Amino acid sequence: MTSSELWTRETADRYDAEEAETSSAAALGPTLAFLAELAGDGRALEFAIGTGRVGVPLRERGVPVVGIELSEHMAAVLRRKVDEDTLPVTIGDMATTVVPGTFTLVYLVYNTITNLLTQDEQVACFRNAARHLEPGGRFVIELGVPPLRLLPPGQVAVPFDVSERHLGFDTFDLVEQILVSHHFIREGGGEEGRYRRDNSRHRYAWPAELDLMARIAGLDKERRVAGWDGAPFTQDSAKHISVWRKPPEF
């Protein structure tokens, strides 16, 4: 078991509703196109597949998908959408769990590598990706760039969403590279509406640190872009999509 925090049944049951915007066809279109192109005629393995927000529609595009998921509750929600024969899922952590066969694509989206709270576990995740890749296969990560430039001296919190139904901000431990995401979600309507408070811990990592993890795992950086649409990655980019390739002779 890694240091990742487990998703509860309650969180899993409301996940799809809370992520409806990021799960729409319009929002997922560029993601699916990007991943399908890299998978080619091969199979894809999704680390931390969750409720299948990406894996299920990618499978519907004709890419054979296999998943690894730590939370049985999240996997149970996925299973309501698609059967085991169509999209196999193994319960386990993404740093050490091994599934049969090899893949042309292993991918890890939506900042999920930060669920591994130590550098050693994140390195192990890269090694596990390399273990599953065919020679010439790719490992893809979607990850936000730590917004530390927004921290003035003495401040440890950065808001990332202030809207009518949600208040979100991150607090940072700059020594341990740990951030805690805090969420206040408004439930119900009218003046009697209440806020539910959630929080989760993450280990943030810089793009250059991930490149070193990839090198340790025997993977070469192929490209880095600012989004699924392929926009150039710059010093002002809020996130990145990074692709590393397993050498053909590896």
Side-chain angles (χ1 to χ4, degrees):
M1 178 70 69
T2 65
S3 59
S4 297
E5 297 174 344
L6 275 170
W7 291 67
T8 65
R9 182 186 302 276
E10 293 75 15
T11 302
D13 285 343
R14 61 176 178 253
Y15 181 82
D16 284 350
E18 293 182 348
E19 293 297 332
E21 184 176 346
T22 64
S23 303
S24 68
L28 280 179
T31 305
L32 300 177
F34 191 105
L35 296 174
E37 180 181 1
L38 290 182
D41 296 328
R43 300 193 303 156
L45 172 61
E46 180 171 356
F47 284 173
I49 194 169
T51 66
R53 183 182 69 90
V54 174
V56 170
L58 185 61
R59 178 66 184 85
E60 292 171 348
R61 287 178 70 109
V63 178
V65 177
V66 175
I68 294 174
E69 172 56 42
L70 183 61
S71 169
E72 294 185 20
H73 302 302
M74 295 287 278
V77 176
L78 180 151
R79 194 53 66 224
R80 300 171 195 163
K81 307 172 185 177
V82 63
D83 61 52
E84 176 70 17
D85 290 338
T86 302
L87 203 166
V89 175
T90 298
I91 301 299
D93 70 83
M94 57 188 164
T96 63
T97 300
V98 178
V99 299
T102 56
F103 303 83
T104 56
L105 173 67
V106 178
Y107 65 95
L108 180 55
V109 298
Y110 217 28
N111 302 320
T112 311
I113 194 170
T114 65
N115 291 355
L116 298 169
L117 299 179
T118 70
Q119 187 182 70
D120 285 345
E121 289 172 346
Q122 291 179 353
V123 170
C125 181
F126 272 81
R127 285 177 165 156
N128 200 29
R131 180 184 297 121
H132 285 92
L133 283 173
E134 296 179 2
R138 275 91 168 185
F139 182 36
V140 176
I141 284 182
E142 175 188 21
L143 184 60
V145 177
L148 300 190
R149 289 195 301 171
L150 301 179
L151 284 174
Q155 182 172 313
V156 296
V158 172
F160 59 84
D161 184 33
V162 180
S163 58
E164 183 179 351
R165 303 196 65 83
H166 178 248
L167 170 63
F169 63 93
D170 293 330
T171 54
F172 292 84
D173 181 334
L174 301 181
V175 174
E176 299 296 331
Q177 283 185 221
I178 296 293
L179 71 83
V180 180
S181 280
H182 304 266
H183 302 266
F184 292 85
I185 303 101
R186 187 175 179 84
E187 296 181 324
E191 297 181 357
E192 297 181 359
R194 296 183 178 182
Y195 282 86
R196 184 183 77 251
R197 179 178 180 178
D198 289 330
N199 62 73
S200 58
R201 294 186 302 151
H202 306 266
R203 182 186 186 271
Y204 64 85
W206 299 96
E209 185 180 6
L210 298 183
D211 289 341
L212 184 55
M213 294 180 189
R215 185 180 302 179
I216 291 170
L219 304 176
D220 299 325
K221 187 177 80 170
E222 185 171 77
R223 59 174 157 151
R224 174 167 292 126
V225 292
W228 296 110
D229 59 358
F233 180 76
T234 72
Q235 65 178 4
D236 296 318
S237 298
K239 75 171 187 177
H240 61 96
I241 313 298
S242 295
V243 182
W244 300 273
R245 187 167 183 255
K246 186 173 184 176
E249 69 279 4
F250 191 84

